[in-house]
Amino acid sequence: MTLGLETLDYFIFLVYFIIVSSYGYWIYKNKGKQSADSKDFFLAEGSLTWWAIGASIIASNISAEQFIGMSGQAFQLGIAISVYELLGGVSLLIVAVYFLPMYLNNKIFTMPQFLAKRYDGRLSTIMAVFWLFLYIFVNLTSIIYLGGLSLEKMTGFSFMTCAIFLTTFAVIITLGGMKVIGYTDVIQVVCLIFGGLATTYLALELLSNKVGTGSGVFEGINLIAQKAEGHLHMIFKPNQYQVHDGKGGFIDAYRQVPGIMMFIIGGQWVNNLNYFGCNQYITQRALGADISTARNGVLFAAFMKMLMPFIVVLPGLAAYVIFQENADASIVNGITQNGIVKPDNAYPVLLNLLPVGLKGLAFAALTAAIVASLAGKANSISTIYVLDIHKKFFNKNLSEKQTVWTGRVVIIIAFIIALIVSPLLANFGQAFEYIQVYTGYVSPGILSIFVLGFFWKKATANGALTAAVLSIVLSAIIERLYPEFPFMNRMGVVFWICSLAHIVVSLISGKGKIQENAFEVKKEWFKVETPFAIGALVVLAIFTIIYTIFW
């Protein structure tokens, strides 16, 4: 397998780089407020359209962890991993209908601000610090690691060179603020979708050529159906399939995606609703808009989520069949490192087999996904630190200019830390699983805090703090004592226990009374416009059809 890009590939990438950078600079100079306005920097208040909001949500969500990590788990598990994307689309609808009105009507701009307003400053500060650690050491770090890994395999440059390039590019975009991020994300999403679909098309063509008769994409799809039947089920049973664990051994596929139980117990719902509803770098896109614009943007994102399995799952399946059939030595050797099967290598290896020109397009698409996601997460890190920690404890009287300047310094520091830590992730077997498992320690408690805080007026700060602590402690205990228990089911069990504890402690500490800082809830807030309702039904229909066909 030949490493490196040709001149045409670099030219295509350079065109992409110039377009994104020039458009970002134009947005910075010509759209929105010209002053150093903190709300404009952190929220792009009132200046993002519905399509910019939707594109920016997807750009922040879809990154190397999907292209590389999820394609790797498609190689490992099959289409069942699509549940993260498909249920993510459904979860976005729930967030649009029920979560957004609560944020917007209560003028919530950051997640710690919600905790301070609904509960108390103690919980707000604890969770603000925690979110900063999570976003830097799990999210930013994993994206830089996976991005650097994929670019290393595509270009032949060292991992650290690729990681520094991605980080620098992301810093350039991020320092312009949410306004620049939001609108450049539109270009990034176009690049990642069309480049991703082109990669999928060529991966299926390659499969047809290597394993079949070379008759094209549809033969590639048929070959997956014939030779990877075990990879075409959305629902697993215990001990049904043993799959590569990325560490030289095998693992029960059910432990990764535990069948119908992840819906019944609720672990997959907890994962998605927390990610899309209680996550600063996702909700932040919509918090500066009116409710109609915000909802339409989230609906647009839900539609794009339904498209993602075609972009990130099919290439992993194609690589799996070629690997299993031992049909191409470069793919087999590229996926195997020191005799260990590394699922995360599947997508980068495929990219290296693309023809000149299209490899450059795929390079641009992957870079777009990585940089957009890094920019969104870094902006959220900056937002939380400046608004919820720095202005609260260090300097309450920051001017608008000082606030924006501090935010930019935080962005640079966060990127430097994540860049230094990122190589350590090479010690983990499967990066997408790493992200899900460790985020899953806190997701149950956080979702409990937000849902009860929104809709139960007797919820107290002591109850919320109990849920937050119990989530981490219980998750660690269950993983330690029952290592075979699927982490997704663990999240569901922990969520219900945390919610029960939250309720009991709240009733005791609050003496069963409605709290003074409880949010007002009005039924009319949750009414949706007809076009949104129709779009939501279409998303639900797509979800139902896919699960019916591939159950």
Side-chain angles (χ1 to χ4, degrees):
M1 177 169 54
T2 302
L3 290 175
L5 303 178
E6 300 295 332
T7 302
L8 180 59
D9 297 317
Y10 282 115
F11 175 76
I12 290 173
F13 178 80
L14 181 63
V15 170
Y16 150 76
F17 181 86
I18 291 173
I19 290 174
V20 172
S21 300
S22 301
Y23 184 58
Y25 182 76
W26 182 86
I27 290 292
Y28 179 70
K29 287 293 185 181
N30 296 284
K31 198 169 183 67
K33 300 175 182 178
Q34 297 299 311
S35 61
D37 188 305
S38 59
K39 284 189 177 180
D40 199 45
F41 181 79
F42 294 120
L43 296 169
E45 190 171 25
S47 65
L48 293 184
T49 59
W50 64 268
W51 45 268
I53 290 171
S56 193
I57 288 173
I58 292 300
S60 282
N61 170 229
I62 303 299
S63 183
E65 62 199 78
Q66 272 73 25
F67 273 98
I68 310 303
M70 190 170 284
S71 285
Q73 284 212 290
F75 177 97
Q76 181 189 42
L77 301 169
I79 63 171
I81 199 61
S82 300
V83 66
Y84 285 95
E85 303 304 306
L86 299 175
L87 197 66
V90 176
S91 299
L92 279 167
L93 301 179
I94 296 172
V95 170
V97 176
Y98 296 104
F99 284 46
L100 285 184
M102 297 303 295
Y103 287 132
L104 295 176
N105 284 297
N106 289 287
K107 294 180 170 47
I108 301 297
F109 301 120
T110 72
M111 301 303 99
Q113 182 194 2
F114 159 77
L115 298 176
K117 198 168 185 177
R118 177 58 184 88
Y119 294 110
D120 63 17
R122 174 189 50 170
L123 181 64
S124 173
T125 301
I126 291 172
M127 293 307 298
V129 172
F130 170 78
W131 270 313
L132 288 177
F133 275 91
L134 181 69
Y135 291 170
I136 293 173
F137 290 102
V138 175
N139 297 115
L140 272 190
T141 302
S142 62
I143 295 170
I144 291 174
Y145 167 71
L146 288 171
L149 181 71
S150 59
L151 265 59
E152 176 189 25
K153 289 187 174 295
M154 285 191 72
T155 65
F157 291 111
S158 69
F159 166 82
M160 191 52 68
T161 299
C162 296
I164 291 172
F165 162 72
L166 290 171
T167 303
T168 304
F169 191 1
V171 167
I172 293 171
I173 297 296
T174 313
L175 292 181
M178 181 53 68
K179 181 173 54 182
V180 173
I181 294 170
Y183 280 102
T184 54
D185 278 351
V186 176
I187 299 177
Q188 309 278 43
V189 164
V190 170
C191 287
L192 76 86
I193 287 178
F194 283 99
L197 287 174
T199 303
T200 297
Y201 178 87
L202 290 163
L204 293 171
E205 283 270 4
L206 180 67
L207 174 59
S208 174
N209 292 330
K210 296 293 183 181
V211 181
T213 63
S215 58
V217 170
F218 290 107
E219 183 186 32
I221 294 173
N222 287 330
L223 286 168
I224 291 174
Q226 294 169 18
K227 298 182 178 295
E229 195 278 334
H231 272 49
L232 297 180
H233 296 287
M234 296 297 294
I235 299 296
F236 292 142
K237 296 177 182 178
N239 301 312
Q240 186 177 6
Y241 299 108
Q242 296 294 312
V243 299
H244 295 286
D245 65 358
K247 302 175 184 177
F250 291 86
I251 188 173
D252 184 6
Y254 182 82
R255 283 185 59 189
Q256 311 284 70
V257 184
I260 195 66
M261 291 307 294
M262 64 185 177
F263 295 105
I264 295 175
I265 298 177
Q268 191 67 56
W269 289 107
V270 172
N271 179 77
N272 281 278
L273 288 174
N274 172 70
Y275 182 87
F276 290 108
C278 313
N279 206 330
Q280 183 69 31
Y281 58 79
I282 297 297
T283 56
Q284 190 165 338
R285 274 100 187 105
L287 296 184
D290 62 84
I291 186 64
S292 179
T293 302
R295 274 180 171 157
N296 288 334
V298 173
L299 176 62
F300 181 43
F303 271 107
M304 286 191 284
K305 288 294 283 183
M306 295 292 153
L307 181 64
M308 286 303 123
F310 294 98
I311 295 175
V312 299
V313 172
L314 279 177
L317 291 174
Y320 173 77
V321 175
I322 295 172
F323 181 86
Q324 288 294 103
E325 296 296 310
N326 199 23
D328 187 284
S330 62
I331 290 180
V332 173
N333 293 334
I335 292 174
T336 306
Q337 288 182 209
N338 301 320
I340 298 174
V341 177
K342 292 283 189 179
D344 278 346
N345 290 352
Y347 197 84
V349 165
L350 280 179
L351 292 182
N352 253 320
L353 297 177
L354 296 179
V356 175
L358 284 172
K359 187 186 285 188
L361 178 62
F363 182 37
L366 186 58
T367 303
I370 296 166
V371 169
S373 192
L374 286 174
K377 290 173 175 63
N379 183 272
S380 294
I381 290 167
S382 175
T383 303
I384 290 176
Y385 175 79
V386 175
L387 300 186
D388 297 299
I389 295 179
H390 195 88
K391 293 187 77 171
K392 188 174 179 180
F393 295 104
F394 300 110
N395 191 343
K396 298 179 181 179
N397 301 312
L398 281 178
S399 67
E400 289 292 289
K401 185 176 182 179
Q402 289 173 324
T403 300
V404 173
W405 183 86
T406 304
R408 288 177 173 144
V409 171
V410 171
I411 287 167
I412 294 172
I413 292 173
F415 272 124
I416 291 173
I417 293 171
L419 182 63
I420 293 171
V421 174
S422 62
L424 300 179
L425 264 64
N427 298 323
F428 291 87
Q430 221 289 325
F432 189 75
E433 179 191 354
Y434 158 79
I435 297 166
Q436 302 306 321
V437 168
Y438 287 99
T439 303
Y441 267 53
V442 295
S443 298
I446 292 174
L447 184 63
S448 173
I449 290 169
F450 274 72
V451 172
L452 290 174
F454 280 147
F455 304 113
W456 190 47
K457 295 186 177 183
K458 296 180 181 180
T460 67
N462 287 334
L465 188 59
T466 300
V469 173
L470 198 58
S471 181
I472 298 173
V473 173
L474 273 180
S475 296
I477 290 174
I478 293 174
E479 184 179 27
R480 177 80 176 180
L481 297 181
Y482 306 99
E484 299 298 316
F485 192 61
F487 74 88
M488 193 60 68
N489 287 349
R490 183 193 73 210
M491 288 172 64
V493 170
V494 172
F495 169 76
W496 292 113
I497 295 175
C498 286
S499 296
L500 179 61
H502 189 173
I503 291 170
V504 170
V505 173
S506 291
L507 289 174
I508 295 172
S509 61
K511 299 179 181 179
K513 296 179 180 179
I514 293 176
Q515 299 300 295
E516 292 182 1
N517 52 2
F519 286 168
E520 184 180 16
V521 181
K522 296 182 180 180
K523 288 184 179 179
E524 57 265 29
W525 289 354
F526 310 115
K527 292 180 180 179
V528 298
E529 297 171 351
T530 301
F532 178 91
I534 294 172
L537 288 174
V538 173
V539 170
L540 292 173
I542 294 171
F543 178 86
T544 303
I545 290 169
I546 291 175
Y547 264 86
T548 300
I549 294 174
F550 294 105
W551 184 270

